[in-house]
Amino acid sequence: MKTNCSCCNGENQEQGTTDTGEFVCYCSKVTEEEIKFFILEKGASSVEQVLQLTGAMQNSNCKVKNPKGICCYPDIIAIFEKYVDRKNILMNMNG
């Protein structure tokens, strides 16, 4: 399982946030809306699937491209959890 991009080597791993700005992954220009789409509409059920489907963390240069200067992986996890939780709530209401 990928836990950080190739340029960060696991350093500066902070708690993720869903307040990411224009992109969640600035290197690959992946937005929160794209992650949301692949979870809610296409059924992505793991962070790995989201990374594959969106192309997030493919073109890593986080220290330069991400305004935070750190790896986006914690933010991807936070957004994944936000929409998986929402999807589970909706499924339980309709189930």
Side-chain angles (χ1 to χ4, degrees), residues 52-72:
Q52 291 173 348
L53 293 167
T54 62
M57 296 174 57
Q58 299 290 320
N59 305 305
S60 299
N61 193 5
C62 298
K63 290 181 181 179
V64 174
K65 293 183 178 181
N66 187 339
K68 295 180 187 179
I70 59 171
C71 183
C72 62

Side-chain angles (χ1 to χ4, degrees), residues 18-42:
T18 57
D19 183 23
T20 58
E22 183 179 4
F23 298 107
V24 178
C25 175
Y26 281 81
C27 297
S28 299
K29 299 197 180 335
V30 175
T31 65
E32 180 173 342
E33 284 300 312
E34 290 174 272
I35 294 172
K36 175 183 173 183
F37 171 78
F38 282 109
I39 294 168
L40 299 180
E41 303 296 326
K42 297 297 182 180

Side-chain angles (χ1 to χ4, degrees), residues 8-25:
C8 295
N9 299 316
E11 53 192 58
N12 294 323
Q13 292 294 321
E14 296 180 358
Q15 180 71 30
T17 179
T18 57
D19 183 23
T20 58
E22 183 179 4
F23 298 107
V24 178
C25 175

